[in-house]
Amino acid sequence: MNVGILTVSDKGSRGERADTSGDAIRGLIMGAGGKVEQYAVVPDEVDVIASTLREWCDGGGLDIVLTTGGTGLAQRDITPEATMTIAERVVPGLAEAMRAEGMKHTPRAILSRSVAVVRGLTLIVNLPGSEKGVRESLGAIIDVLPHAVELLRGATEHPKSS
């Protein structure tokens, strides 16, 4: 899995906050055998987020883009909106699974507006901005990501049940 990590944070983009969430994603992806090919920290601006996602997806080198941050209810939390502007197909089960896992840990997880979508051959998943939220959310879906990548690459055979 070739992965891009896009951290959405006004303070992070100005160098005022360490990107522990992006670091957590990197560790989990590498632990699952993935390779981080792209990484950036951008401000909470729809145009900047959307253009980065579009560029990364259309470049053809990434199987998955994982965003972190901007999925809550605050005024500047606009990552899902930016993601939807470039989406071709929605993958609601991934976001549902992440929220369900989060609800096991805090009732506030229900407020997450994370989305998962496909653009071209790339899966984009919005993760929360907190390191804890990233670990819980990505942990809930990481086992199905290799299969999602295979399907996007054209492998339509389903694994045999044992």
Side-chain angles (χ1 to χ4, degrees), residues 6-9 21 44 67-72 77 79-80 126-130 134:
L6 183 63
T7 298
V8 179
S9 168
S21 297
D44 293 89
T67 71
T68 176
T71 61
D77 288 341
T79 303
N126 298 157
L127 299 170
S130 72
V134 160

Side-chain angles (χ1 to χ4, degrees), residues 39-128:
Y39 170 78
V41 180
V42 298
D44 293 89
E45 298 290 341
V46 170
D47 293 343
V48 175
I49 299 165
S51 66
T52 303
L53 292 173
R54 188 180 303 108
E55 177 184 325
W56 286 7
C57 292
D58 295 354
L62 298 179
D63 299 306
I64 301 171
V65 175
L66 300 170
T67 71
T68 176
T71 61
L73 296 179
Q75 192 76 25
R76 301 237 349 124
D77 288 341
I78 44 75
T79 303
E81 288 75 18
T83 302
M84 292 304 293
T85 67
I86 59 95
E88 294 173 353
R89 295 183 288 156
V90 180
V91 188
L94 292 176
E96 292 164 6
M98 293 187 307
R99 277 187 279 280
E101 179 62 27
M103 288 291 292
K104 294 176 185 176
H105 306 278
T106 176
R108 294 178 182 171
I110 199 71
L111 299 176
S112 170
R113 298 180 316 104
S114 294
V115 297
V117 304
V118 172
R119 178 177 176 91
L121 300 177
T122 305
L123 175 66
I124 304 168
V125 180
N126 298 157
L127 299 170

